Amino acid sequence: MVGYNFNVPGRESKENYFRNYSIQGHLNSRSYVHQISGPSGELYSFIALDACLEPGPRRPFNFIGVLTQNEIEHVNLLIKEIEKSRSNYTIWFGHYPTSCILAPGEGVRKFMGLHKNGLAYVCGHLHTLLGTAPHLYTLQQNGLLELELADWKDNRKYRIMAIDHGLFSFVDVDHGKWPVAVITNPKHALFKMPEREPLNAMKSSSHIRVLAFSTAEVVNVSVKLDEGQWQICSHVYGPLYVVPWNPEEFFEKIHHINVHVIDSYGRETYLEQPFALDASRPSFHVFPRLILMSNITHISQILFGLMLVCCIVPLCFLRFLNKLVKGGYITTRLNIVKVWYTKLWILANVDRFFYPIVLYPLYLAIGPWSVGEVIEGYIGVIFIWGTFINNSYLPGAFTYAYAYIQLILFQLPFTLVMAHNLGQRINSRASSKALGVVLIMVMLIQIIFAYFFWLSYGTTALLLGPYRTWPIIMGFWLWRESHTLSVDFLRKNLGPFMSSREVSQQSGL
């Protein structure tokens, strides 16, 4: 179950393709270790970190992985076995990036960082974020590199990794592109790991080392340092090519190494990368760092909480102010309130609009979103904070992001549209066509969302799903009410705070 487990009731289920059809699935149902011995006796360990939800629900509420305490204890046992075997190097791999994994305690990064022989965590899931981040790489605070790889299905990418005297190097390659080159010494300056690699080995090395691969015979490998001359490398064995160098000439600042590889078919590859023998290094791009070093769940919770406050507190505040005005507790006119909140004031003080608009976002934070087949053949209940299915509890994570999007795309624009329309009504003006277009767009988005929700979880989940059905019902009903409610009733509910004339003058309607 190391990859996705969509619509998988359990480990022994026939839908668990990893268990039933993969090589490792017959041997290991969850996290496992695979070890390879090198030609010089060094031992390389690969830890598969399985953070898949169990059971695995259908889309879309399966975006975040979870490491349970039991799974962490299991991986700790694997680490102890690795240490007993005196493994030299460890590569972690899994489906989810660490930013998309829920884990108890101090989190998955702290847990992985405790293993001192670890070099990198390679993963997928986010891949290139639909092309917005083709190189999702970063160096985590635990000293490990975290390296996303573009997906195989659409981008046909694969990765070659090499460890040369403790120095970790890699290159991501388009399938079918030949020849392929990996520079292992000096290594890429961006991917230096000072806490985990013997970086001084580059200073004392006698040769530049390059790995060159092709489906045909490699006939030439050449190297150029900075603006120097091209030097032809000697073939040692297998894919290894070397050329002597004097590292003392490059002890300071960042330099560049270029490699040119030609095979017998006449195909060529050029590779350039920076290197540094001192502490100099380029910087990772900001966006990949934010994506990989953050916590997606925490960010989603914060965004949802802030948007929930924005959607509820202003209306409640204005309603409270109106009560103070009617009770005679406020005698001074609050001009700033009248300038900025005239339209919302009307909305907040008419019960049939106020309660549905305020209670819906509150319900998103408390009540069940839907009851239906979260897994085919298994009825589950979805809350923002978790899902109950097949005698299991799956903690809520990315549900907060979906709720935030729902408030952005429905609650906020719908509230503003309704407030504006009531402002038009109270001044005896017909609704503008632009306002109708905006409402149609808002409702059309909700209908599309409901359609995809039905495709994911079925008819029962849609009918018993306030998360998706209530906005549509509430939207059309309140829009109708805003056109049929009498103007006198609206003006009456304004109370003594302001007159209809003041509304007209200060709202600019």
Side-chain angles (χ1 to χ4, degrees):
M1 298 174 71
V2 173
Y4 270 129
N5 59 336
F6 294 141
N7 199 30
V8 179
R11 300 187 197 186
E12 308 301 325
S13 169
K14 65 179 181 179
E15 285 81 15
N16 186 354
Y17 295 157
F18 172 76
R19 173 81 171 179
N20 297 327
Y21 299 107
S22 70
I23 295 175
Q24 289 292 339
H26 293 288
L27 305 175
N28 308 282
S29 61
R30 296 286 300 191
S31 301
Y32 63 90
V33 169
H34 183 72
Q35 293 184 311
I36 299 175
S37 296
S40 303
E42 64 274 16
L43 187 61
Y44 302 87
S45 298
F46 298 84
I47 301 179
L49 189 67
D50 194 338
C52 287
L53 296 173
E54 188 178 359
R58 300 178 183 180
R59 296 173 185 266
F61 301 124
N62 55 0
F63 191 80
I64 300 295
V66 174
L67 271 183
T68 63
Q69 187 61 43
N70 289 339
E71 191 67 18
I72 289 178
E73 292 173 0
H74 171 62
V75 176
N76 277 326
L77 292 176
L78 298 178
I79 292 174
K80 291 180 180 179
E81 292 179 8
I82 290 174
E83 292 173 347
K84 287 181 181 179
S85 68
R86 299 192 177 184
S87 173
N88 302 91
Y89 312 104
T90 299
I91 303 294
W92 296 80
F93 70 97
H95 178 77
Y96 297 95
T98 57
S99 60
C100 295
I101 297 178
L102 286 177
E106 297 181 349
V108 64
R109 296 186 188 115
K110 180 72 173 179
F111 159 69
M112 293 170 64
L114 295 176
H115 181 48
K116 297 304 180 183
N117 288 338
L119 293 176
Y121 176 58
V122 294
C123 53
H125 190 56
L126 299 179
H127 301 297
T128 63
L129 279 180
L130 301 177
T132 61
H135 304 294
L136 275 174
Y137 310 140
T138 195
L139 181 66
Q140 295 286 2
Q141 293 181 349
N142 60 15
L144 284 171
L145 283 173
E146 183 161 345
L147 309 169
E148 279 268 356
L149 177 63
D151 68 297
W152 177 256
K153 178 182 177 182
D154 296 319
N155 291 287
R156 285 293 192 266
K157 287 273 192 180
Y158 66 94
R159 174 171 291 155
I160 297 176
M161 298 182 291
I163 300 176
D164 182 356
H165 294 78
L167 302 176
F168 174 82
S169 300
F170 75 98
V171 63
D172 292 343
V173 187
D174 294 318
H175 177 253
K177 179 182 178 181
W178 300 103
V180 176
V182 184
I183 304 170
T184 64
N185 185 67
K187 73 165 291 177
H188 198 299
L190 182 63
F191 303 111
K192 293 191 298 183
M193 292 176 279
E195 300 176 8
R196 297 179 178 270
E197 293 178 305
L199 297 178
N200 285 330
M202 291 188 289
K203 292 183 178 181
S204 59
S205 62
S206 59
H207 289 75
I208 295 170
R209 293 184 289 274
V210 178
L211 300 178
F213 306 88
S214 182
T215 54
E217 180 185 1
V218 174
V219 297
N220 181 72
V221 177
S222 301
V223 169
K224 183 177 73 170
L225 298 173
D226 291 335
E227 300 302 322
Q229 299 295 317
W230 285 99
Q231 303 176 66
I232 298 177
C233 297
S234 302
H235 183 214
V236 181
Y237 63 87
L240 179 60
Y241 293 80
V242 301
V243 65
W245 79 319
N246 182 11
E248 294 182 359
E249 298 177 5
F250 306 93
F251 273 180
E252 296 181 353
K253 70 180 184 179
I254 295 177
H255 301 271
H256 290 83
I257 180 172
N258 293 266
V259 170
H260 180 209
V261 182
I262 305 175
D263 65 14
S264 60
Y265 289 171
R267 296 176 297 191
E268 299 178 273
T269 290
Y270 288 90
L271 177 64
E272 178 184 358
Q273 68 184 41
F275 72 93
L277 304 186
D278 59 6
S280 303
R281 68 182 306 152
S283 299
F284 288 95
H285 294 302
V286 174
F287 184 58
R289 292 188 67 192
L290 288 175
I291 295 297
L292 295 178
M293 300 184 74
S294 63
N295 185 308
I296 300 297
T297 299
H298 291 169
I299 291 176
S300 299
Q301 290 171 336
I302 292 171
L303 290 176
F304 171 71
L306 292 175
M307 186 52 59
L308 186 67
V309 170
C310 290
C311 290
I312 293 176
V313 171
L315 294 179
C316 293
F317 176 71
L318 293 176
R319 190 175 179 88
F320 175 69
L321 278 184
N322 192 43
K323 291 185 180 297
L324 294 181
V325 170
K326 288 182 177 180
Y329 298 105
I330 295 179
T331 58
T332 303
R333 299 293 183 92
L334 302 179
N335 291 326
I336 188 171
V337 172
K338 292 197 294 182
V339 170
W340 292 102
Y341 292 105
T342 298
K343 302 169 190 178
L344 292 174
W345 183 279
I346 304 169
L347 183 70
N349 290 286
V350 179
D351 289 351
R352 68 184 68 186
F353 296 103
F354 172 78
Y355 286 111
I357 289 177
V358 167
L359 290 179
Y360 175 68
L362 283 176
Y363 184 85
L364 290 182
I366 300 171
W369 285 10
S370 181
V371 177
E373 289 193 5
V374 180
I375 300 174
E376 188 174 355
Y378 295 85
I379 298 296
V381 183
I382 302 171
F383 295 82
I384 192 173
W385 37 266
T387 300
F388 296 92
I389 177 69
N390 197 19
N391 298 319
S392 300
Y393 169 71
L394 304 177
F398 209 63
T399 43
Y400 291 95
Y402 284 103
Y404 169 73
I405 294 171
Q406 178 67 4
L407 295 181
I408 286 288
L409 295 182
F410 172 74
Q411 187 69 26
L412 187 60
F414 182 75
T415 300
L416 296 177
V417 165
M418 293 303 301
H420 187 73
N421 190 53
L422 291 176
Q424 297 274 32
R425 286 292 317 286
I426 206 170
N427 288 283
S428 301
R429 295 183 181 182
S431 298
S432 64
K433 292 183 179 180
L435 197 66
V437 171
V438 172
L439 181 72
I440 290 173
M441 291 178 61
V442 170
M443 299 309 299
L444 183 60
I445 290 173
Q446 294 306 304
I447 292 172
I448 293 173
F449 282 169
Y451 171 72
F452 283 107
F453 191 79
W454 171 74
L455 289 179
S456 296
Y457 298 118
T459 303
T460 301
L462 181 63
L463 295 178
L464 300 179
Y467 170 62
R468 283 300 177 211
T469 55
W470 280 12
I472 298 174
I473 297 172
M474 180 178 70
F476 286 117
W477 175 62
L478 290 184
W479 181 251
R480 178 182 177 277
E481 288 293 307
S482 70
H483 283 82
T484 58
L485 201 62
S486 69
V487 175
D488 291 338
F489 180 81
L490 292 175
R491 291 172 177 169
K492 178 182 177 182
N493 277 272
L494 288 176
F497 183 72
M498 59 178 67
S499 68
S500 60
R501 180 181 177 183
E502 290 174 312
V503 172
S504 177
Q505 291 176 346
Q506 297 194 29
S507 64
L509 299 175

